[in-house]
Amino acid sequence: MFKDLLKYPIIQAPMAGGASTPKLAASVSNAGGLGFLAAGYKTAEEMKDEIGQTRQLTERPFGVNVFVPGNEVVDETLLSAYGEKIKKEAESVGAEVGKADSDEDDWGNKLTALMEARVAVVSFTFGCPSENVIRELQSAGSHIAVTVTNLQEAKRAASAGADVLCVQGIEAGGHRASFENCSEDDYGLLVLIRMIENELKLPIIAAGGLMRGKDIAAVLAAGATAAQLGTAFLRCPESGASPVHKAALGNPRFTHTSVTRAFSGRRARGLVNHFLMEYDSVAPAAYPYVHHMTKHMRKAAGQKNNPELMALWAGQGYKLSRDLPASELMELLVEELK
């Protein structure tokens, strides 16, 4: 059973883009939680390498998260216009606007590699894989989690054979895990847990704005089996988040978060900075096209210590984040949970 993988009901969220590392995942798993690697934006070979590194650091279970590729049709005219609008920002840090490409994020090769790797948990974001994919991974020994943002998505995941639902409230940092890249009804985490728990009998991983032991206790009381924390682990030394991103979480210059498509073309929650304020209202719903358009600018901004042009993903509870080694943070969370 999924619950048997955890000594404590604490899961480190998979954070694509570099924040999730083998050291972070292994530290959390070694401390009795469940660490996660993020395969998003990586090749299958890079994912396999990180799985190998993690296995050298822990004998405990850990998970791997994969993006489900989409097939949305985009308006080339809107993409071109957006590229022209953001050109001056990219140039200000010596970068170019990237080509508005789409890709499947090495989907097929990752599935093949995961069949062989037999990791404890494989989770999916941005959609639900087919029943066949889920069954094959389960037969290889993996528990399957699907990230959902509403009851309809939860029912689809349950019907496809998922073992566990990762329920993401609107409070969560980073990308909304919605199956479709469109406007949606946004639910707070506690309400969403109760809605889903009332109709489905699958274990629930609660995700969204959780930072302290009291938060974990609240979602467990609402019906969750475990709590998934992302922003809470961002400032750990084992996190691969950039120094600029880590510093921004404690910088009084940044007073709140907002959900935006400005950086990637998909709704995502981050600290409100110059780029978000300037381009949120004109960013097209076009993922991963916009992600590829802004990635050179974001990378260059980080290298130049300029947080105003970076995607500073963070949940609503980011002000409660703590700069501690992952093992110490786990100990503190467990103590607070008691």
Side-chain angles (χ1 to χ4, degrees):
M1 290 179 61
F2 171 74
K3 194 172 183 179
D4 296 334
L5 300 176
L6 304 158
K7 180 179 180 182
Y8 303 115
I10 302 171
I11 297 172
Q12 164 249 313
M15 296 173 281
S20 292
T21 66
K23 285 185 178 180
L24 179 60
S27 294
V28 172
S29 290
N30 284 334
L34 184 70
F36 251 95
L37 299 175
Y41 310 131
K42 292 183 171 72
T43 66
E45 285 300 317
E46 289 169 333
M47 179 192 76
K48 284 170 62 177
D49 181 59
E50 289 201 348
I51 291 172
Q53 291 181 51
T54 307
R55 282 184 165 147
Q56 290 179 343
L57 297 169
T58 184
E59 296 180 354
R60 298 276 305 167
F62 63 91
V64 177
N65 176 261
V66 183
F67 290 168
V68 178
N71 57 357
E72 65 184 270
V73 177
V74 299
D75 188 324
E76 298 288 346
T77 303
L78 287 177
L79 281 175
S80 178
Y82 192 63
E84 285 300 315
K85 286 185 175 75
I86 66 175
K87 186 176 180 180
K88 67 175 186 281
E89 307 290 2
E91 290 176 345
S92 74
V93 287
E96 295 181 351
V97 174
K99 185 179 179 183
D101 280 335
S102 181
D103 60 70
E104 292 197 337
D105 206 39
D106 214 7
W107 168 253
N109 291 329
K110 284 176 181 172
L111 292 180
T112 300
L114 287 167
M115 303 286 185
E116 299 170 356
R118 299 173 180 266
V119 294
V121 183
V122 178
S123 72
F124 293 93
T125 298
F126 301 154
C128 182
S130 68
E131 291 182 44
N132 287 341
V133 167
I134 290 177
R135 279 199 297 267
E136 288 177 7
L137 286 167
Q138 288 168 332
S139 68
S142 297
H143 292 79
I144 304 304
V146 176
T147 314
V148 301
T149 62
N150 58 45
L151 180 58
Q152 292 71 32
E153 292 173 352
K155 288 181 175 179
R156 281 177 58 185
S159 296
D163 297 299
V164 59
L165 302 172
C166 181
V167 175
Q168 187 195 53
I170 187 60
E171 303 94 335
H175 280 98
R176 302 290 296 139
S178 315
F179 290 8
E180 304 294 335
N181 185 15
C182 56
S183 297
E184 60 190 87
D185 289 331
D186 290 321
Y187 295 96
L189 179 57
L190 292 177
V191 170
L192 189 55
I193 291 171
R194 290 196 293 270
M195 287 172 60
I196 292 173
E197 191 257 351
N198 186 55
E199 295 206 27
L200 300 170
K201 300 309 174 188
L202 288 178
I204 288 174
I205 299 169
L210 308 177
M211 303 295 294
R212 300 286 171 95
K214 287 182 178 179
D215 303 329
I216 298 169
V219 296
L220 296 180
T225 298
Q228 180 169 286
L229 287 68
T231 307
F233 287 101
L234 270 181
R235 295 174 68 190
C236 295
E238 299 91 344
S239 157
S242 74
V244 183
H245 191 168
K246 290 182 178 182
L249 293 171
N251 186 343
R253 146 74 182 93
F254 301 105
T255 59
H256 62 290
T257 66
S258 184
V259 176
T260 185
R261 284 195 169 91
F263 294 101
S264 73
R266 228 182 200 281
R267 300 174 78 226
R269 182 178 294 281
L271 300 180
V272 175
N273 60 4
H274 165 74
F275 193 86
L276 190 156
M277 287 190 294
E278 193 73 16
Y279 300 101
D280 174 61
S281 63
V282 294
Y287 177 89
Y289 301 89
V290 174
H291 161 77
H292 290 299
M293 292 171 73
T294 67
K295 65 182 181 182
H296 303 308
M297 176 196 72
R298 289 181 277 122
K299 182 178 180 179
Q303 292 169 342
K304 293 181 182 296
N305 198 31
N306 179 1
E308 299 298 339
L309 299 180
M310 295 173 62
L312 303 171
W313 302 142
Q316 285 184 332
Y318 75 95
K319 291 182 180 180
L320 298 173
S321 63
R322 297 177 279 204
D323 183 2
L324 291 171
S327 60
E328 291 184 25
L329 179 56
M330 280 292 297
E331 286 181 16
L332 196 53
L333 290 168
V334 170
E335 190 60 35
E336 290 172 348
L337 179 57
K338 291 177 183 177

